[in-house]
């Protein structure tokens, strides 16, 4: 009788934990699961489910060390009791956790196990999931290396290899989910595949995938996904050198960001539009969007964004010959760079202020501290050279460096 | 000296070029973590109920 009562209470605690997690209260869910484990059970399927759900709950709470611990317990248990389907799931969850922890080699082993089991038991859905996880691991691996200080546009071979593998796994996943008719999964994979191609520099392929993603997002009325697709498409078109098309996609991004009331994304879209119109040499429109970006950056207290906006505005006004406006923004840029400790930005801003002062014919003998620093710097740099002209050299932007497949695109 | 020259060169980087350098790494990601749940009751074995799509936060996206 006593044992029976204990069994019930373990199950009851676990069910309450499950209910709480489903409701999104992972903290409370965790304590019920922990209590259930304390009570204990002889039903190893239930114990496996508790370990698995605890792992997932900790994952949601971003406590990945704990998530790892419980998914490991689940894997060991499922292997012990010979529960293949359970082992496949545990492997998948463990793989995801290891990926987040940056332990990609171990994650790959888990994905392979997941895939092997799913293939052995002809579980198509499981195979698709394993392939998707595989793709994500390689995608994350590639990204984690290219974030750690690689030269822009020139990713190391290791990154390219990982990203190529990611693309292969996403393609394999795609053919299964298409066969299964799972449109939601297809949309997700298309988005990831598009991003992988983008990072690989295959901008045409990126566009094709994101177009698919967009189509599926529209089918589902998923406006957040739609917005992501438009933004990704805009970025790809920039590197294809098709700036007008990019601008159209960024405008849709902006529209959706406003509908979804996502201010940060709205700011980013305005910033992208400002830069795109600068590439199109439509400086009035560029200024319009950079101002919109500036206002939101100020609202959000994003000083770095504000600095970027001022820098861009200074350059756009210089291009138009509005030197008074240009110097105003250059000085603001300088002020913000000093505040945020951006050394290279500070030097750029000082040069800009100094250039503009020359154009405006200001005296160098002013005792304004900014000006005297500028004077000293110019002296050190061996006097003036026609730096103003560099801003008119935007058409010489080193697109080639940034776009491996631009030459194909332009043929 | 060459240090100054390097500094001069780094100043050539324009705001648009700087934006493009950042853009080259930027992607709006889909959910990158699909976890699978094991229902406690064991009776709700429907495939749909098993799938937890975790938020992409912490999945390595720095945008």
């Amino acid at each position: 009788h006593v044992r029976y009562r204990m069994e019930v209470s373990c199950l009851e605690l676990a069910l309450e934990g499950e209910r709480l997690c489903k409701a999104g209260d992972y903290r409370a869910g965790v304590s019920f699961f922990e209590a259930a484990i304390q009570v204990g059970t002889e039903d190893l399927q239930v114990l496996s489910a508790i370990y698995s759900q605890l792992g997932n709950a900790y994952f949601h709470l971003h406590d990945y060390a704990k998530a790892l611990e419980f998914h490991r317990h689940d894997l060991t248990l499922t292997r012990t009791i010979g529960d293949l389907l359970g082992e496949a799931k545990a492997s998948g969850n463990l793989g995801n956790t290891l990926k987040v922890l940056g332990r990609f080699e171990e994650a790959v082993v888990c994905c392979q196990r997941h895939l092997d089991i799913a293939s052995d038991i002809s579980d198509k859905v499981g195979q698709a999931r394993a392939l998707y996880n595989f793709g994500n691991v390689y995608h994350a691996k590639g990204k984690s290396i290219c974030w750690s200080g690689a030269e822009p546009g020139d990713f190391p071979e290791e990154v390219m290899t990982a990203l190529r593998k990611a693309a292969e796994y996403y393609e394999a996943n795609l053919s299964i989910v298409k066969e299964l008719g799972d449109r939601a999964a297809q949309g997700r994979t298309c988005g990831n595949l598009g991003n992988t191609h983008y990072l690989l520099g295959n901008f045409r392929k990126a566009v094709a995938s994101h177009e698919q993603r967009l189509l599926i997002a529209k089918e589902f009325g998923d406006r957040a996904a739609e917005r992501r697709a438009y933004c990704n498409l805009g970025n790809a078109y920039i590197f294809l050198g098709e700036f007008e098309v990019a601008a159209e996609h960024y405008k849709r991004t902006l529209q959706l960001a406003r509908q979804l009331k996502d201010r940060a994304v709205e700011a980013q879209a305005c910033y992208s539009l400002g830069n795109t119109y600068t590439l199109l040499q439509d400086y009035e429109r560029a200024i319009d969007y950079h101002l919109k970006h500036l206002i939101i950056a100020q609202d959000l207290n994003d000083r770095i964004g504000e600095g970027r906006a001022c820098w861009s505005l200074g350059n756009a006004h210089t291009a138009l010959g509005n030197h008074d406006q240009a110097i105003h923004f250059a000085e603001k840029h300088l002020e913000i760079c000093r505040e945020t400790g951006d050394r290279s930005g500070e030097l750029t801003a000082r040069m800009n202020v100094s250039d503009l002062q020359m154009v405006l014919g200001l005296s160098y003998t002013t005792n304004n501290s900014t000006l005297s620093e500028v004077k000293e710097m110019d002296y050190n740099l061996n006097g003036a050279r026609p730096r103003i002209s560099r801003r008119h050299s935007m058409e010489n932007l080193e697109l080639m460096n940034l776009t491996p497949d631009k030459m194909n695109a332009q043929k | 000296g060459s240090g100054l020259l390097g500094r001069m060169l780094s100043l050539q980087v324009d705001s648009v070029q700087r934006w493009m350098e950042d853009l080259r790494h930027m992607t709006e990601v889909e959910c990158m973590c699909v976890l699978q749940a094991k229902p406690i009751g064991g009776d709700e074995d429907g495939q749909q109920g098993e799938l937890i799509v975790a938020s992409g936060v912490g999945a390595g996206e720095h945008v």
Side-chain angles (χ1 to χ4, degrees), chain A residues 18 99 129 132 143 198, chain B residues 23 27 31-32 36 40 61:
Chain A
E18 182 178 75
K99 175 194 70 186
R129 279 182 196 160
Y132 183 71
K143 263 199 138 172
Y198 178 82
Chain B
L23 202 66
T27 49
C31 163
M32 301 294 274
Q36 294 172 87
I40 305 278
E61 188 53 34

Side-chain angles (χ1 to χ4, degrees), chain A residues 18 22 48-49 53 56 59-60 62 64 74 78 86 89 93 96 99-100 114 129 132 136 139 143 155 188 192 195 198-199 201 203 213 227-228 232 235 239 268 271 275 278 308 311 315 347-348 351 380-381 385 394 397 399 402, chain B residues 4-5 7-8 10-41 44-45 47-63:
Chain A
E18 182 178 75
K22 269 187 186 157
S48 162
Q53 292 210 27
N56 287 346
F59 192 101
H60 278 102
H62 306 296
Y64 301 114
D74 186 29
T78 51
K89 279 188 184 180
N93 291 337
N96 267 301
K99 175 194 70 186
V100 172
H114 187 189
R129 279 182 196 160
Y132 183 71
N136 288 341
H139 187 274
K143 263 199 138 172
F155 299 147
R188 257 200 320 261
N192 287 335
N195 287 333
Y198 178 82
L199 292 172
F203 300 113
R213 208 286 161 260
R227 190 210 46 79
R228 290 196 300 271
N232 286 325
N235 296 348
F239 290 101
Q268 183 65 40
Y271 183 52
N275 284 301
T278 304
R308 290 278 172 87
W311 184 16
N315 288 350
L347 285 170
T348 307
M351 294 279 276
N380 286 336
L381 291 174
R385 51 179 199 90
M394 270 168 195
L397 256 179
L399 274 172
L402 294 160
Chain B
L4 277 177
L5 195 69
R7 225 158 74 190
M8 292 282 290
S10 78
L11 293 179
Q12 301 275 335
V13 177
D14 201 271
S15 56
V16 176
Q17 196 165 341
R18 178 62 202 273
W19 167 70
M20 287 180 72
E21 282 165 11
D22 289 344
L23 202 66
R24 190 62 189 81
H25 295 81
M26 281 223 251
T27 49
E28 292 275 350
V29 296
E30 302 293 327
C31 163
M32 301 294 274
C33 292
V34 179
L35 300 174
Q36 294 172 87
K38 296 184 178 180
I40 305 278
E44 55 169 306
D45 249 338
Q47 294 285 17
Q48 295 305 96
E50 296 179 1
L51 194 73
I52 296 178
V53 177
S55 72
V57 185
E61 188 53 34
H62 298 242
V63 183

Side-chain angles (χ1 to χ4, degrees), chain A residues 30-90:
Chain A
V30 160
S31 38
F32 274 91
F33 286 133
E34 301 264 20
I37 290 174
Q38 284 297 311
V39 172
T41 176
E42 286 185 355
D43 185 335
L44 297 181
Q45 288 295 343
V46 168
L47 188 59
S48 162
I50 293 173
Y51 284 152
S52 179
Q53 292 210 27
L54 248 178
N56 287 346
Y58 276 122
F59 192 101
H60 278 102
L61 292 167
H62 306 296
D63 187 342
Y64 301 114
K66 281 281 191 186
L68 188 71
E69 186 186 326
F70 285 104
H71 285 312
R72 276 239 158 90
H73 284 327
D74 186 29
L75 184 64
T76 309
L77 183 58
T78 51
R79 274 187 189 162
T80 309
I81 59 179
D83 169 12
L84 266 185
L85 210 62
E87 185 184 341
K89 279 188 184 180

Side-chain angles (χ1 to χ4, degrees), chain A residues 173-187:
Chain A
N173 163 279
L174 209 50
S175 66
I176 298 181
V177 293
K178 271 182 185 166
E179 194 185 313
L180 293 169
D182 184 346
R183 289 292 277 172
Q186 211 177 312

Side-chain angles (χ1 to χ4, degrees), chain A residues 207-238:
Chain A
V207 164
S209 294
H210 287 307
E211 289 286 2
Q212 280 297 307
R213 208 286 161 260
L214 180 62
L215 202 73
I216 296 169
K218 283 178 175 168
E219 263 172 42
F220 282 86
D222 180 348
R223 285 191 300 170
E226 210 182 313
R227 190 210 46 79
R228 290 196 300 271
Y230 278 120
C231 183
N232 286 325
L233 282 165
N235 296 348
Y237 279 115
I238 288 291

